[in-house]
Coordinates of all heavy atoms in Angstrom, one line a residue:
M1 N 3.1 -39.6 -16.9 CA 1.8 -39.2 -16.3 C 1.2 -37.9 -16.8 O 1.9 -36.9 -16.9 CB 1.9 -39.1 -14.8 CG 1.5 -40.4 -14.0 SD 1.9 -40.2 -12.3 CE 0.4 -39.7 -11.7
V2 N -0.1 -37.9 -17.2 CA -0.7 -36.7 -17.8 C -1.7 -36.1 -16.8 O -2.5 -36.8 -16.2 CB -1.5 -37.1 -19.1 CG1 -2.2 -35.8 -19.7 CG2 -0.6 -37.7 -20.1
K3 N -1.5 -34.9 -16.6 CA -2.3 -34.2 -15.6 C -3.7 -33.8 -16.2 O -3.7 -33.2 -17.3 CB -1.6 -32.9 -15.1 CG -2.0 -32.5 -13.7 CD -1.1 -31.3 -13.3 CE -1.7 -30.7 -12.0 NZ -0.9 -29.5 -11.7
S4 N -4.8 -34.1 -15.6 CA -6.1 -33.9 -16.2 C -6.7 -32.6 -15.6 O -6.6 -32.3 -14.5 CB -7.0 -35.1 -15.9 OG -8.3 -34.8 -16.4
D5 N -7.4 -31.9 -16.5 CA -8.1 -30.7 -16.1 C -9.6 -30.9 -16.0 O -10.4 -30.0 -15.9 CB -7.9 -29.6 -17.1 CG -6.6 -28.9 -16.9 OD1 -5.9 -29.1 -15.9 OD2 -6.1 -28.1 -17.8
R6 N -10.0 -32.2 -16.1 CA -11.5 -32.5 -16.1 C -12.2 -32.0 -14.9 O -13.3 -31.5 -15.0 CB -11.6 -34.0 -16.3 CG -13.0 -34.4 -16.7 CD -13.2 -35.8 -17.0 NE -12.5 -36.3 -18.2 CZ -12.5 -37.5 -18.7 NH1 -13.1 -38.5 -18.0 NH2 -11.9 -37.8 -19.8
A7 N -11.7 -32.2 -13.8 CA -12.3 -31.8 -12.5 C -12.6 -30.3 -12.5 O -13.7 -29.8 -12.1 CB -11.5 -32.1 -11.3
K8 N -11.7 -29.5 -13.1 CA -11.9 -28.0 -13.1 C -13.0 -27.6 -14.1 O -13.9 -26.8 -13.8 CB -10.6 -27.3 -13.4 CG -10.5 -26.0 -12.8 CD -9.1 -25.3 -12.9 CE -8.2 -25.6 -14.0 NZ -7.1 -24.8 -14.1
A9 N -13.0 -28.3 -15.3 CA -13.9 -27.9 -16.3 C -15.4 -28.3 -16.0 O -16.3 -27.7 -16.5 CB -13.5 -28.5 -17.6
G10 N -15.6 -29.3 -15.2 CA -16.9 -29.8 -15.0 C -17.8 -29.0 -14.0 O -18.9 -29.3 -13.9
R11 N -17.2 -28.1 -13.4 CA -17.9 -27.3 -12.3 C -18.4 -26.0 -12.7 O -18.8 -25.2 -11.9 CB -16.9 -27.1 -11.1 CG -16.8 -28.3 -10.2 CD -18.1 -28.4 -9.4 NE -18.8 -29.7 -9.5 CZ -20.1 -29.9 -9.3 NH1 -20.8 -28.9 -8.9 NH2 -20.6 -31.1 -9.5
Q12 N -18.4 -25.7 -14.0 CA -18.9 -24.4 -14.5 C -20.4 -24.4 -14.6 O -21.0 -25.4 -15.0 CB -18.2 -24.0 -15.8 CG -16.9 -23.4 -15.6 CD -16.3 -22.8 -16.9 OE1 -16.6 -23.3 -18.0 NE2 -15.5 -21.8 -16.9
A13 N -21.0 -23.2 -14.3 CA -22.4 -23.1 -14.5 C -22.8 -23.1 -15.9 O -22.1 -22.5 -16.8 CB -22.9 -21.7 -13.9
P14 N -23.9 -23.8 -16.3 CA -24.3 -23.9 -17.7 C -24.9 -22.6 -18.2 O -26.1 -22.4 -17.9 CB -25.2 -25.1 -17.7 CG -25.8 -25.1 -16.4 CD -24.8 -24.5 -15.4
T15 N -24.2 -21.8 -18.9 CA -24.7 -20.6 -19.5 C -24.9 -20.8 -21.0 O -23.9 -21.0 -21.7 CB -23.9 -19.4 -19.2 OG1 -22.5 -19.7 -19.5 CG2 -24.0 -18.9 -17.8
A16 N -26.1 -20.9 -21.5 CA -26.3 -21.2 -22.9 C -25.9 -20.1 -23.8 O -25.5 -20.3 -24.9 CB -27.8 -21.5 -23.1
Y17 N -26.1 -18.8 -23.4 CA -25.9 -17.7 -24.2 C -24.9 -16.7 -23.6 O -24.9 -16.5 -22.4 CB -27.2 -16.9 -24.5 CG -28.2 -17.8 -25.2 CD1 -29.2 -18.4 -24.6 CD2 -28.0 -18.0 -26.6 CE1 -30.1 -19.2 -25.2 CE2 -28.9 -18.8 -27.3 CZ -30.0 -19.4 -26.6 OH -30.9 -20.1 -27.3
M18 N -24.0 -16.2 -24.4 CA -23.1 -15.1 -24.0 C -23.7 -13.7 -24.3 O -23.3 -12.8 -23.7 CB -21.8 -15.2 -24.7 CG -21.0 -16.6 -24.4 SD -20.7 -16.8 -22.7 CE -19.4 -15.6 -22.4
T19 N -24.6 -13.7 -25.2 CA -25.3 -12.4 -25.6 C -26.8 -12.7 -25.7 O -27.2 -13.8 -25.7 CB -24.8 -11.9 -26.9 OG1 -25.0 -12.9 -27.9 CG2 -23.3 -11.5 -26.9
K20 N -27.6 -11.6 -25.7 CA -29.0 -11.7 -26.0 C -29.3 -10.8 -27.1 O -28.6 -9.9 -27.4 CB -29.8 -11.4 -24.7 CG -29.6 -10.1 -24.2 CD -30.4 -9.9 -22.9 CE -30.1 -8.6 -22.2 NZ -30.7 -8.5 -20.9
K21 N -30.5 -11.1 -27.8 CA -30.9 -10.4 -28.9 C -32.1 -9.5 -28.6 O -33.0 -9.9 -27.9 CB -31.4 -11.3 -30.0 CG -30.4 -11.4 -31.2 CD -31.1 -12.0 -32.4 CE -30.8 -13.4 -32.6 NZ -31.3 -13.9 -33.9
C22 N -32.0 -8.3 -29.1 CA -33.1 -7.3 -28.9 C -34.4 -7.8 -29.6 O -34.3 -8.2 -30.8 CB -32.7 -5.9 -29.4 SG -34.1 -4.7 -29.3
P23 N -35.5 -7.9 -29.0 CA -36.7 -8.4 -29.7 C -37.3 -7.3 -30.7 O -38.1 -7.7 -31.5 CB -37.7 -8.6 -28.6 CG -37.3 -7.7 -27.5 CD -35.8 -7.6 -27.6
E24 N -36.8 -6.1 -30.6 CA -37.3 -5.1 -31.6 C -36.4 -4.9 -32.8 O -36.9 -4.9 -33.9 CB -37.3 -3.7 -30.8 CG -38.2 -3.7 -29.6 CD -39.7 -3.8 -29.9 OE1 -40.0 -3.4 -31.0 OE2 -40.4 -4.2 -29.0
C25 N -35.1 -4.9 -32.6 CA -34.2 -4.6 -33.7 C -33.2 -5.7 -34.0 O -32.4 -5.6 -34.8 CB -33.5 -3.3 -33.5 SG -32.3 -3.3 -32.2
Y26 N -33.2 -6.8 -33.1 CA -32.4 -8.0 -33.3 C -30.9 -7.7 -33.1 O -30.1 -8.4 -33.7 CB -32.6 -8.7 -34.6 CG -34.1 -9.1 -34.8 CD1 -34.9 -8.3 -35.6 CD2 -34.6 -10.2 -34.1 CE1 -36.3 -8.7 -35.7 CE2 -35.9 -10.6 -34.3 CZ -36.7 -9.8 -35.1 OH -38.1 -10.1 -35.2
A27 N -30.6 -6.6 -32.4 CA -29.2 -6.3 -32.2 C -28.7 -7.2 -31.0 O -29.5 -7.5 -30.1 CB -29.0 -4.9 -31.8
Y28 N -27.4 -7.6 -31.0 CA -26.9 -8.4 -29.9 C -26.3 -7.4 -28.9 O -25.8 -6.3 -29.2 CB -25.7 -9.2 -30.4 CG -26.2 -10.4 -31.2 CD1 -26.2 -10.4 -32.6 CD2 -26.6 -11.6 -30.5 CE1 -26.6 -11.5 -33.3 CE2 -27.0 -12.7 -31.3 CZ -27.0 -12.6 -32.6 OH -27.5 -13.7 -33.4
M29 N -26.5 -7.8 -27.6 CA -25.9 -7.0 -26.5 C -25.6 -8.0 -25.4 O -26.0 -9.1 -25.4 CB -27.0 -6.0 -26.1 CG -28.2 -6.7 -25.4 SD -29.6 -5.7 -25.5 CE -30.0 -6.0 -27.3
P30 N -24.8 -7.5 -24.4 CA -24.4 -8.3 -23.2 C -25.7 -8.8 -22.5 O -26.7 -8.1 -22.5 CB -23.6 -7.4 -22.4 CG -23.1 -6.3 -23.3 CD -24.2 -6.1 -24.3
L31 N -25.5 -9.9 -21.8 CA -26.7 -10.5 -21.0 C -27.2 -9.6 -19.9 O -28.4 -9.6 -19.6 CB -26.2 -11.8 -20.4 CG -26.2 -13.0 -21.3 CD1 -25.7 -14.2 -20.6 CD2 -27.5 -13.3 -22.0
D32 N -26.3 -8.7 -19.4 CA -26.8 -7.9 -18.3 C -27.3 -6.5 -18.7 O -27.6 -5.6 -17.9 CB -25.7 -7.7 -17.3 CG -24.4 -7.1 -17.9 OD1 -24.4 -6.9 -19.1 OD2 -23.5 -6.8 -17.1
A33 N -27.5 -6.3 -20.0 CA -27.9 -5.0 -20.5 C -29.4 -4.8 -20.2 O -30.2 -5.8 -20.3 CB -27.8 -4.9 -22.0
K34 N -29.8 -3.6 -19.7 CA -31.2 -3.3 -19.3 C -31.9 -2.6 -20.5 O -33.2 -2.7 -20.5 CB -31.2 -2.5 -18.1 CG -30.6 -3.1 -16.9 CD -31.6 -4.1 -16.2 CE -31.1 -4.7 -14.9 NZ -29.9 -5.6 -15.1
T35 N -31.2 -1.9 -21.3 CA -31.8 -1.3 -22.5 C -31.0 -1.6 -23.7 O -29.8 -1.9 -23.6 CB -31.8 0.2 -22.3 OG1 -30.5 0.7 -22.0 CG2 -32.8 0.7 -21.2
C36 N -31.7 -1.7 -24.8 CA -31.0 -1.9 -26.1 C -30.1 -0.8 -26.5 O -30.5 0.4 -26.5 CB -32.0 -2.2 -27.2 SG -31.2 -2.5 -28.8
P37 N -28.8 -1.0 -26.8 CA -27.9 0.1 -27.2 C -28.2 0.7 -28.5 O -27.8 1.8 -28.9 CB -26.5 -0.5 -27.1 CG -26.8 -2.0 -27.3 CD -28.1 -2.3 -26.7
V38 N -29.0 -0.1 -29.3 CA -29.3 0.4 -30.7 C -30.6 1.2 -30.8 O -30.7 2.3 -31.3 CB -29.4 -0.8 -31.7 CG1 -29.7 -0.4 -33.1 CG2 -28.0 -1.6 -31.6
C39 N -31.7 0.6 -30.2 CA -33.0 1.2 -30.3 C -33.5 1.8 -29.0 O -34.6 2.4 -28.9 CB -34.1 0.3 -30.9 SG -34.4 -1.1 -29.8
N40 N -32.7 1.6 -27.9 CA -33.0 2.2 -26.6 C -34.3 1.7 -26.0 O -34.9 2.3 -25.1 CB -33.1 3.7 -26.7 CG -31.7 4.3 -26.7 OD1 -30.8 3.8 -25.9 ND2 -31.4 5.3 -27.5
K41 N -34.8 0.5 -26.4 CA -36.0 -0.1 -25.8 C -35.6 -0.8 -24.5 O -34.5 -1.3 -24.4 CB -36.6 -1.1 -26.8 CG -37.3 -0.4 -27.9 CD -38.8 -0.4 -27.7 CE -39.6 0.5 -28.6 NZ -39.3 0.4 -30.0
K42 N -36.4 -0.7 -23.6 CA -36.2 -1.5 -22.3 C -36.3 -3.0 -22.6 O -37.3 -3.4 -23.2 CB -37.1 -1.0 -21.2 CG -36.8 0.3 -20.6 CD -37.5 0.5 -19.3 CE -37.1 1.8 -18.7 NZ -37.8 2.1 -17.5
I43 N -35.4 -3.7 -22.1 CA -35.4 -5.2 -22.3 C -35.2 -5.9 -21.0 O -34.5 -5.4 -20.1 CB -34.4 -5.6 -23.4 CG1 -33.1 -4.9 -23.1 CG2 -35.0 -5.3 -24.8 CD1 -32.0 -5.5 -23.8
G44 N -35.6 -7.2 -20.9 CA -35.4 -8.0 -19.7 C -34.4 -9.0 -19.9 O -33.4 -8.9 -20.6
E45 N -34.6 -10.1 -19.1 CA -33.7 -11.2 -19.1 C -33.7 -11.9 -20.5 O -34.6 -11.8 -21.3 CB -34.1 -12.2 -18.1 CG -34.4 -11.6 -16.7 CD -33.2 -11.8 -15.8 OE1 -33.1 -12.9 -15.3 OE2 -32.5 -10.9 -15.5
V46 N -32.6 -12.8 -20.7 CA -32.6 -13.6 -21.9 C -33.6 -14.8 -21.7 O -33.7 -15.3 -20.6 CB -31.1 -14.1 -22.2 CG1 -30.7 -15.0 -21.1 CG2 -31.0 -14.7 -23.5
D47 N -34.3 -15.1 -22.8 CA -35.1 -16.3 -22.7 C -34.5 -17.5 -23.3 O -33.3 -17.5 -23.7 CB -36.5 -16.0 -23.4 CG -36.4 -15.8 -24.9 OD1 -35.3 -16.0 -25.4 OD2 -37.4 -15.4 -25.5
E48 N -35.2 -18.6 -23.4 CA -34.6 -19.9 -23.9 C -34.2 -19.8 -25.3 O -33.4 -20.7 -25.8 CB -35.5 -21.1 -23.6 CG -36.9 -21.0 -24.3 CD -37.9 -20.2 -23.5 OE1 -37.5 -19.6 -22.4 OE2 -39.0 -20.1 -23.9
L49 N -34.6 -18.8 -26.1 CA -34.3 -18.7 -27.5 C -33.1 -17.7 -27.7 O -32.7 -17.5 -28.9 CB -35.5 -18.3 -28.3 CG -36.7 -19.3 -28.3 CD1 -37.9 -18.7 -29.0 CD2 -36.3 -20.6 -29.0
G50 N -32.7 -17.1 -26.7 CA -31.6 -16.1 -26.8 C -32.0 -14.7 -27.0 O -31.2 -13.8 -27.2
F51 N -33.4 -14.5 -27.0 CA -33.9 -13.2 -27.1 C -34.1 -12.5 -25.8 O -34.3 -13.3 -24.8 CB -35.3 -13.2 -27.8 CG -35.2 -13.3 -29.3 CD1 -35.2 -14.6 -29.9 CD2 -35.1 -12.2 -30.1 CE1 -35.1 -14.7 -31.3 CE2 -35.0 -12.3 -31.5 CZ -35.0 -13.6 -32.1
A52 N -34.0 -11.2 -25.7 CA -34.3 -10.5 -24.5 C -35.8 -10.5 -24.3 O -36.5 -10.3 -25.3 CB -33.7 -9.1 -24.5
K53 N -36.3 -10.7 -23.1 CA -37.7 -10.6 -22.9 C -38.1 -9.2 -22.8 O -37.4 -8.3 -22.4 CB -38.0 -11.3 -21.5 CG -37.9 -12.8 -21.6 CD -38.1 -13.4 -20.2 CE -37.9 -14.9 -20.2 NZ -37.8 -15.4 -18.8
K54 N -39.4 -9.0 -23.3 CA -39.9 -7.6 -23.2 C -40.5 -7.4 -21.8 O -41.3 -8.2 -21.4 CB -41.1 -7.4 -24.3 CG -40.6 -7.5 -25.7 CD -41.7 -7.2 -26.6 CE -41.3 -7.4 -28.1 NZ -42.5 -7.2 -29.0
P55 N -40.1 -6.4 -21.2 CA -40.7 -6.1 -19.9 C -42.1 -5.7 -20.0 O -42.5 -5.1 -21.0 CB -39.8 -5.0 -19.3 CG -39.3 -4.3 -20.5 CD -39.2 -5.3 -21.6
F56 N -42.9 -5.8 -18.9 CA -44.3 -5.4 -18.9 C -44.4 -3.9 -19.1 O -43.8 -3.2 -18.3 CB -45.0 -5.9 -17.6 CG -46.5 -5.8 -17.7 CD1 -47.2 -6.7 -18.5 CD2 -47.1 -4.8 -17.0 CE1 -48.6 -6.6 -18.5 CE2 -48.5 -4.7 -17.1 CZ -49.2 -5.6 -17.8
D57 N -45.2 -3.5 -20.1 CA -45.2 -2.1 -20.4 C -46.4 -1.4 -19.6 O -47.5 -1.2 -20.1 CB -45.5 -1.9 -21.9 CG -45.4 -0.5 -22.4 OD1 -45.1 0.4 -21.5 OD2 -45.6 -0.2 -23.5
W58 N -46.0 -1.0 -18.3 CA -47.1 -0.4 -17.5 C -47.6 0.9 -18.0 O -48.8 1.2 -18.0 CB -46.5 -0.2 -16.1 CG -46.4 -1.4 -15.3 CD1 -45.2 -2.1 -14.9 CD2 -47.5 -2.1 -14.7 NE1 -45.6 -3.2 -14.2 CE2 -46.9 -3.2 -14.0 CE3 -48.8 -1.9 -14.6 CZ2 -47.7 -4.1 -13.3 CZ3 -49.6 -2.8 -14.0 CH2 -49.0 -3.9 -13.3
Q59 N -46.7 1.7 -18.6 CA -47.1 3.0 -19.1 C -48.1 2.8 -20.3 O -49.1 3.5 -20.3 CB -45.8 3.7 -19.6 CG -46.1 5.2 -19.6 CD -44.8 6.0 -20.0 OE1 -43.8 5.4 -20.4 NE2 -44.9 7.3 -20.0
G60 N -47.8 1.9 -21.1 CA -48.7 1.7 -22.3 C -50.1 1.2 -21.8 O -51.1 1.7 -22.3
Y61 N -50.1 0.2 -20.9 CA -51.4 -0.3 -20.4 C -52.1 0.8 -19.6 O -53.3 0.9 -19.7 CB -51.1 -1.5 -19.5 CG -50.9 -2.7 -20.2 CD1 -49.6 -3.1 -20.6 CD2 -52.0 -3.5 -20.6 CE1 -49.4 -4.3 -21.3 CE2 -51.8 -4.7 -21.3 CZ -50.5 -5.0 -21.7 OH -50.3 -6.2 -22.4
L62 N -51.4 1.7 -18.9 CA -52.0 2.8 -18.2 C -52.7 3.7 -19.1 O -53.8 4.1 -18.9 CB -51.0 3.5 -17.3 CG -51.5 4.4 -16.2 CD1 -52.2 3.6 -15.1 CD2 -50.4 5.2 -15.6
I63 N -52.0 4.1 -20.2 CA -52.5 5.0 -21.2 C -53.8 4.4 -21.8 O -54.8 5.1 -22.0 CB -51.4 5.4 -22.2 CG1 -50.4 6.3 -21.5 CG2 -52.1 6.1 -23.4 CD1 -49.1 6.5 -22.3
A64 N -53.7 3.1 -22.2 CA -54.8 2.4 -22.8 C -56.0 2.4 -21.8 O -57.1 2.7 -22.2 CB -54.4 1.0 -23.2
A65 N -55.8 2.2 -20.5 CA -56.8 2.1 -19.6 C -57.5 3.5 -19.4 O -58.7 3.6 -19.3 CB -56.3 1.6 -18.2
I66 N -56.7 4.5 -19.4 CA -57.2 5.9 -19.3 C -58.0 6.2 -20.5 O -59.1 6.8 -20.4 CB -56.0 6.9 -19.1 CG1 -55.4 6.7 -17.7 CG2 -56.5 8.3 -19.3 CD1 -54.1 7.5 -17.5
C67 N -57.6 5.8 -21.7 CA -58.3 6.1 -22.9 C -59.7 5.4 -22.9 O -60.7 5.9 -23.3 CB -57.5 5.6 -24.1 SG -56.1 6.7 -24.5
I68 N -59.7 4.1 -22.5 CA -60.9 3.4 -22.4 C -61.9 4.0 -21.4 O -63.1 4.2 -21.6 CB -60.6 1.9 -22.0 CG1 -59.9 1.2 -23.2 CG2 -61.9 1.1 -21.7 CD1 -59.3 -0.1 -22.8
A69 N -61.3 4.4 -20.2 CA -62.2 5.0 -19.2 C -62.7 6.3 -19.7 O -63.9 6.6 -19.5 CB -61.3 5.3 -17.9
A70 N -61.9 7.1 -20.4 CA -62.3 8.4 -21.0 C -63.4 8.2 -22.0 O -64.4 8.9 -22.0 CB -61.2 9.1 -21.6
F71 N -63.3 7.1 -22.8 CA -64.3 6.8 -23.8 C -65.6 6.4 -23.2 O -66.7 6.8 -23.6 CB -63.8 5.7 -24.7 CG -64.7 5.3 -25.8 CD1 -65.0 6.2 -26.9 CD2 -65.4 4.1 -25.8 CE1 -65.8 5.8 -27.9 CE2 -66.3 3.7 -26.8 CZ -66.5 4.6 -27.8
A72 N -65.5 5.6 -22.1 CA -66.7 5.2 -21.4 C -67.4 6.3 -20.8 O -68.7 6.4 -20.9 CB -66.3 4.2 -20.3
V73 N -66.7 7.3 -20.2 CA -67.3 8.5 -19.6 C -67.9 9.3 -20.7 O -69.1 9.8 -20.6 CB -66.2 9.3 -18.9 CG1 -66.7 10.7 -18.5 CG2 -65.8 8.5 -17.6
F74 N -67.3 9.4 -21.9 CA -67.8 10.1 -23.0 C -69.1 9.5 -23.5 O -70.1 10.2 -23.8 CB -66.7 10.2 -24.1 CG -67.3 10.7 -25.4 CD1 -67.5 12.1 -25.6 CD2 -67.6 9.9 -26.4 CE1 -67.9 12.6 -26.7 CE2 -68.1 10.4 -27.6 CZ -68.3 11.7 -27.8
M75 N -69.1 8.2 -23.6 CA -70.3 7.5 -24.0 C -71.5 7.8 -23.0 O -72.6 8.1 -23.4 CB -70.1 6.0 -24.1 CG -69.2 5.6 -25.3 SD -69.9 6.0 -26.9 CE -71.0 4.6 -27.1
W76 N -71.2 7.6 -21.7 CA -72.2 7.9 -20.7 C -72.7 9.3 -20.8 O -73.9 9.6 -20.8 CB -71.6 7.6 -19.3 CG -72.5 8.1 -18.2 CD1 -73.5 7.4 -17.7 CD2 -72.4 9.3 -17.5 NE1 -74.1 8.2 -16.7 CE2 -73.4 9.3 -16.6 CE3 -71.5 10.4 -17.6 CZ2 -73.6 10.4 -15.7 CZ3 -71.6 11.4 -16.7 CH2 -72.7 11.4 -15.8
W77 N -71.7 10.3 -21.0 CA -72.1 11.7 -21.0 C -72.9 12.0 -22.2 O -73.8 12.8 -22.1 CB -70.7 12.5 -20.9 CG -71.0 13.9 -20.8 CD1 -71.2 14.7 -19.7 CD2 -70.9 14.9 -21.9 NE1 -71.4 16.0 -20.0 CE2 -71.2 16.2 -21.3 CE3 -70.7 14.8 -23.3 CZ2 -71.3 17.3 -22.1 CZ3 -70.8 16.0 -24.0 CH2 -71.0 17.2 -23.4
G78 N -72.5 11.4 -23.3 CA -73.2 11.8 -24.6 C -74.5 11.1 -24.8 O -75.4 11.6 -25.5
F79 N -74.7 9.9 -24.3 CA -75.9 9.1 -24.7 C -76.8 8.6 -23.5 O -77.9 8.4 -23.7 CB -75.4 7.8 -25.5 CG -74.7 8.2 -26.7 CD1 -73.3 8.1 -26.8 CD2 -75.4 8.7 -27.9 CE1 -72.7 8.5 -28.0 CE2 -74.8 9.0 -29.0 CZ -73.4 8.9 -29.1
F80 N -76.2 8.5 -22.3 CA -77.0 7.8 -21.3 C -77.3 8.8 -20.1 O -77.9 8.4 -19.2 CB -76.2 6.6 -20.7 CG -76.0 5.6 -21.8 CD1 -74.7 5.4 -22.3 CD2 -77.0 4.8 -22.2 CE1 -74.5 4.4 -23.3 CE2 -76.9 3.8 -23.1 CZ -75.6 3.6 -23.7
R81 N -76.8 10.0 -20.2 CA -77.1 11.0 -19.2 C -78.5 11.5 -19.3 O -79.1 11.7 -20.3 CB -76.1 12.2 -19.4 CG -76.0 13.0 -18.1 CD -74.8 13.9 -18.3 NE -74.9 14.5 -19.7 CZ -74.9 15.8 -19.9 NH1 -74.8 16.7 -19.0 NH2 -74.9 16.3 -21.2
E82 N -79.1 11.6 -18.1 CA -80.5 12.1 -18.2 C -80.6 13.6 -17.7 O -79.9 14.0 -16.9 CB -81.4 11.3 -17.2 CG -81.5 9.9 -17.7 CD -82.5 9.1 -16.9 OE1 -82.2 8.6 -15.8 OE2 -83.7 9.0 -17.4
Ligands
ZN1 ZN1 -33.0 -2.9 -30.1

């Protein structure tokens, strides 16, 4: 009689990737890494291609919004003020 391990092997969660890739420098890192150990960029969860997702860059959008607002004020101040 041969003892089967099939019942034990079939119950594992399907994890497609053991590592994820940095979208900036393509370095491999553990799945639970929050920042890239090579380029220190913030990274998110692994996606279906094995790359780490880029987190939403609030700081970048905030700076862009401030620049646009400042430009709008400058335009108003320079050309439309009475
Ligand atoms: Zn990186």
Side-chain angles (χ1 to χ4, degrees):
M1 264 174 93
V2 180
K3 208 173 169 186
S4 175
D5 280 349
R6 194 177 287 182
K8 209 170 28 172
R11 276 285 124 206
Q12 275 189 332
T15 45
Y17 297 100
M18 299 300 289
T19 57
K20 60 187 177 185
K21 254 201 257 188
C22 174
E24 302 290 337
C25 67
Y26 302 101
Y28 286 97
M29 69 206 76
L31 283 179
D32 58 352
K34 296 281 187 288
T35 53
C36 175
V38 178
C39 65
N40 281 320
K41 288 258 165 51
K42 282 193 178 179
I43 45 162
E45 310 258 287
V46 66
D47 67 8
E48 59 277 2
L49 297 172
F51 280 90
K53 288 174 185 167
K54 292 183 188 179
F56 192 74
D57 188 4
W58 283 107
Q59 203 179 4
Y61 279 90
L62 194 67
I63 290 166
I66 289 168
C67 288
I68 291 165
F71 181 70
V73 169
F74 170 76
M75 290 294 284
W76 169 80
W77 184 82
F79 298 103
F80 298 104
R81 197 168 46 124
E82 291 190 280

